[in-house]
Amino acid sequence: RLKSLQTLILEKIGLDELPPAVCSLTQLMCLVAIGFRRLPADRMGNLTSLQQLHLDTVVGRSATKDLVVELRKLTRLRRIGITFSEELEETLQKALVQSLCNLPELQELVLRSPSRLDQKGGTVWEDWEPPMQLRRLFIVGIRFLRLPGWINRSRLPRFYFLSLAVYVVGVHDLDNLARLPELSYLELVCFSWPPGYTVGTDGFRNLRFCLVGTTLKFQMGAMPRLEHLQFIVYAGYWSSVEDDGVPLEQ
């Protein structure tokens, strides 16, 4: 009876397991599943019409591994929002990136997972070539060594939302971000920043929310749409973290 169903939203309905029959709804375009302890993750690839997928929470390593592999079959996905109970260590990140490479219509990617302070940076993400229509990237639980090189105006001209944790941010990274024409939300959590950054009149023209870890100097007329500014300045000196031979100092 539900074979033609296109939207399914199940939020805390009192079941521990998302019914496997959901994965037979091949015309489903939007699936929101919240509050389930178990998911038929190894069958999610059957939902080939999906454009929007929101799962909270994916529990267990087996389900996590199955899901990141099955995602590559959902080639029509435009919006992904997934909360994982497991840490996305490097092998899982690699499988996830391989799946993302097969999603040419992706516009929004929101991922949440646990993390450790000593977790390696997500260097495997350099292998991803996101589609030009990607607009929103929000990742919690993966700390990148550096900002991915594909975050620039030529590759992502419509990019408007960025929230990442990074080990090192350089002046050139901030320059690239400043040139993104539609960027309106910027949140970067980072261990190592330049001692300051000057915002010119031609940078961050549409930015409304800004959270960074260094002091900003503004030329007259800079950031004309800014509504919220938050920055963290570390007093003193520390260099307790090192990743792949790169010392991180503040």
Side-chain angles (χ1 to χ4, degrees):
R1 296 179 182 180
L2 300 177
K3 290 294 185 180
S4 299
L5 191 67
Q6 295 186 347
T7 299
L8 180 61
I9 300 175
L10 301 172
E11 183 173 354
K12 298 179 181 179
I13 61 174
L15 296 178
D16 284 340
E17 182 178 6
L18 180 69
V22 169
C23 294
S24 66
L25 304 176
T26 56
Q27 296 188 41
L28 203 62
M29 300 175 67
C30 173
L31 173 61
V32 178
I34 299 174
F36 296 94
R37 298 286 298 173
R38 298 188 303 276
L39 300 169
D42 58 341
R43 305 182 190 180
M44 297 297 291
N46 295 333
L47 302 175
T48 53
S49 296
L50 270 188
Q51 297 183 10
Q52 180 173 347
L53 176 64
H54 181 79
L55 301 175
D56 186 0
T57 301
V58 179
V59 178
R61 179 175 173 80
S62 178
T64 298
K65 183 178 179 180
D66 287 340
L67 180 62
V68 297
V69 172
E70 289 290 291
L71 282 176
R72 68 192 60 181
K73 302 175 184 178
L74 308 180
T75 57
R76 298 183 182 180
L77 275 176
R78 298 181 180 181
R79 295 178 177 86
I80 297 176
I82 303 176
T83 299
F84 296 95
S85 69
E86 297 289 314
E87 176 191 343
L88 292 177
E89 40 82 13
E90 189 171 1
T91 57
L92 289 174
Q93 289 184 47
K94 186 174 182 179
L96 175 59
V97 169
Q98 290 174 346
S99 291
L100 293 176
C101 289
N102 207 38
L103 307 181
E105 300 181 22
L106 191 63
Q107 298 177 12
E108 297 185 8
L109 178 63
V110 176
L111 301 174
R112 296 179 178 89
S113 66
S115 66
R116 303 191 317 268
L117 183 62
D118 60 347
Q119 182 181 351
K120 290 290 185 180
T123 55
V124 297
W125 290 79
E126 289 292 346
D127 296 333
W128 185 31
E129 295 186 5
M132 294 186 69
Q133 63 266 28
L134 184 70
R135 305 202 65 204
R136 186 176 184 221
L137 184 64
F138 179 100
I139 298 180
V140 174
I142 298 173
R143 188 176 293 276
F144 292 70
L145 180 59
R146 299 183 185 276
L147 277 178
W150 38 259
I151 300 181
N152 61 69
R153 64 179 177 182
S154 62
R155 296 282 296 276
L156 301 176
R158 301 183 60 199
F159 200 62
Y160 81 93
F161 188 109
L162 176 63
S163 179
L164 286 183
V166 187
Y167 278 111
V168 180
V169 170
V171 171
H172 65 285
D173 296 313
L174 294 172
D175 287 342
N176 277 336
L177 294 173
R179 297 187 190 103
L180 291 169
E182 296 190 19
L183 188 66
S184 62
Y185 186 103
L186 175 62
E187 180 178 6
L188 290 179
V189 178
C190 178
F191 281 121
S192 181
W193 290 87
Y197 183 75
T198 300
V199 182
T201 56
D202 58 345
F204 296 111
R205 298 294 298 172
N206 283 306
L207 199 64
R208 298 178 184 271
F209 180 99
C210 180
L211 189 159
V212 294
T214 188
T215 56
L216 299 178
K217 298 179 181 179
F218 301 92
Q219 293 183 0
M220 185 68 69
M223 287 190 178
R225 298 190 175 184
L226 190 65
E227 299 174 359
H228 178 102
L229 173 62
Q230 181 177 344
F231 60 89
I232 302 170
V233 178
Y234 296 94
Y237 173 89
W238 60 273
S239 58
S240 60
V241 181
E242 185 170 307
D243 189 273
D244 292 338
V246 179
L248 309 177
E249 302 175 354
Q250 191 71 49

